[in-house]
Amino acid sequence: MRRLSCFVSAFMLAILAACDSTPAAGGVNSNGVPNTLRVGIIPNMAPDKQSARYAPLQEYLAKRLQAKVELFVATDYAGVVAALAAKKVDVAYLGGLTYVQAEAQVDVRPLVTEIDKETGTKEYFSGIVVRGDSSHQTVQDVVAAKGAFAFGDVSSTSGSLYPRVMLNASGADCSRSAIDKCPPLGRVSFTGGHDATAQAVANGSADAGGIEIRILHRMEKDGKVPQGRLRVVGSEKVMGYPWVMREELGDQAGAAIIAAFKEMRDPALLDLMQTSGYQEVTDADYAPVKKHATDLGLLTRR
C-alpha cells in the first residue's frame, strides 16, 4: 500500500508538472493575494460531491479576497500534497496528517481551522464503529475478534491515523513497514473516504472501521446511513482540519486569508461548511498528530 501511495503521488506530480507552474499573469492584488488563487481540497468524501459543496466558498473567497479562485479537488489525499509541492496550489484544506506530511516536503503554514459544532472547539472526534447489532462493545473486542477492518484514505487523520492509534492501544500491532497489516486483525482495507467506510461496515464487508464521527452524524441526518445501523465503540479527539498556504505567498496574503475565514458571517455558508466559525492555528497545534505519524511510520521528512 505504501508503494502504491508513493506511485499515486508521483503520478499526480507528473500530471501537474506537465502544466505551466508560473504564477498567474498580473502578480498579486492589493491584499497580497495572487490574482488567481488556486485552492486545493482533500476528498474526505466523493470528489465530485466535494467540488459542488465548495462552490459557495469559492464565490465567497473570490469576492472577499478580490481574486479569481480556482478549486482543485484531488482524487486522493496525496494528490493535494503533490499539488502543493508542484506549486499548482496556493492554499489547501488538509487533514492534520496530510498537513504534517505536506509540511515535511513543502514550506507551508497552517492558518485556520473550523470550530466543530459538536465539541465547540478546534477539535473533533475520530472513532471506530461497528454495526449496531455487533457483539463488540469496545475497541479491545474488535481487536480480539481478529476480523476485517476498514480505514478511509491512507493519509486520513481520523479515518486512518487515529484509528491505528486506538487499535494499537487496544492490543493490535499495526505495522510501521506495511500499512495494510494490523495483526491480529485478519484483513485490512482502505475505502478512500469516510462515507465509503461507513457503508462498508453497514453492509458487512468490514466488521469495524475508522471514521470521522461528525461525518457519520451528517450521513445519518441525510438518511445515507440509518440511525442505529452503526455504533461507536471508541473515539479520540483530533485537532481540526487546517487551511494552509505556501509560505512564499507571504505575511500579507496570510493575514488576508485568515481574516476572510475569521470574518465569515453568512449563516448559510457557515452551515454549509459545518461550522460556527474559524480560529487561527499554528504548527504547534499539530504536534500530537506529528508524533503519532512518526511513531506509526507515516511521516517521511525531506
Side-chain angles (χ1 to χ4, degrees):
M1 286 298 299
R2 179 169 293 179
R3 286 195 294 270
L4 176 61
S5 180
C6 291
F7 172 78
V8 171
S9 297
F11 181 66
M12 286 298 303
L13 280 170
I15 293 175
L16 292 164
C19 304
D20 178 18
S21 62
T22 56
V28 301
N29 63 25
S30 58
N31 292 312
V33 175
N35 286 321
T36 297
L37 185 70
R38 300 159 300 181
V39 178
I41 299 170
I42 56 170
N44 59 2
M45 61 179 67
D48 57 334
K49 297 177 183 177
Q50 200 83 326
S51 296
R53 178 185 175 195
Y54 281 96
L57 175 67
Q58 180 180 17
E59 182 180 348
Y60 168 78
L61 290 177
K63 182 177 181 180
R64 183 66 172 70
L65 297 173
Q66 300 180 323
K68 178 182 178 182
V69 174
E70 295 179 350
L71 281 185
F72 164 66
V73 180
T75 55
D76 64 7
Y77 285 44
V80 181
V81 177
L84 282 165
K87 298 185 179 182
K88 305 307 290 184
V89 164
D90 305 305
V91 174
Y93 183 51
L94 305 176
L97 176 56
T98 323
Y99 160 64
V100 300
Q101 290 174 333
E103 186 268 339
Q105 305 173 46
V106 190
D107 289 329
V108 292
R109 179 194 308 180
L111 302 174
V112 296
T113 191
E114 64 267 12
I115 300 170
D116 181 50
K117 285 186 173 182
E118 297 189 3
T119 68
T121 71
K122 294 186 288 187
E123 296 178 299
Y124 65 99
F125 282 103
S126 164
I128 289 179
V129 297
V130 298
R131 287 185 300 282
D133 59 0
S134 170
S135 62
H136 303 331
Q137 300 298 319
T138 65
V139 180
Q140 287 90 339
D141 292 340
V142 171
V143 173
K146 304 179 182 179
F149 194 92
F151 294 101
D153 187 282
V154 173
S155 294
S156 171
T157 314
S158 54
S160 178
L161 176 61
Y162 273 79
R164 289 165 70 83
V165 171
M166 286 184 269
L167 288 168
N168 280 1
S170 298
D173 185 20
C174 294
S175 173
R176 284 176 53 89
S177 58
I179 196 72
D180 59 342
K181 304 297 180 185
C182 272
L185 296 176
R187 177 171 58 85
V188 168
S189 61
F190 291 88
T191 67
H194 299 280
D195 49 354
T197 296
Q199 296 297 345
V201 178
N203 66 30
S205 58
D207 299 300
I211 191 171
E212 183 176 318
I213 299 302
R214 59 186 173 185
I215 291 182
L216 170 60
H217 291 166
R218 291 172 206 163
M219 294 180 71
E220 291 174 334
K221 181 180 178 181
D222 295 340
K224 296 176 181 177
V225 174
Q227 290 281 349
R229 179 66 60 84
L230 299 180
R231 176 164 45 81
V232 179
V233 294
S235 63
E236 288 281 344
K237 275 190 175 180
V238 183
M239 181 54 63
Y241 290 46
W243 282 91
V244 310
M245 75 169 194
R246 290 190 294 107
E247 280 282 10
E248 63 189 81
L249 266 66
D251 293 341
Q252 185 183 2
I257 295 166
I258 288 172
F261 278 98
K262 290 181 68 176
E263 295 169 12
M264 191 182 293
R265 297 288 184 267
D266 181 1
L269 181 56
L270 288 169
D271 186 60
L272 178 71
M273 301 303 292
Q274 302 289 333
T275 185
S276 57
Y278 289 87
Q279 292 183 359
E280 291 184 52
V281 287
T282 68
D283 181 69
D285 289 313
Y286 296 91
V289 176
K290 193 174 299 186
K291 181 182 185 305
H292 288 315
T294 301
D295 291 345
L296 288 166
L298 296 174
L299 186 60
T300 301
R301 303 201 68 81
R302 54 186 163 179

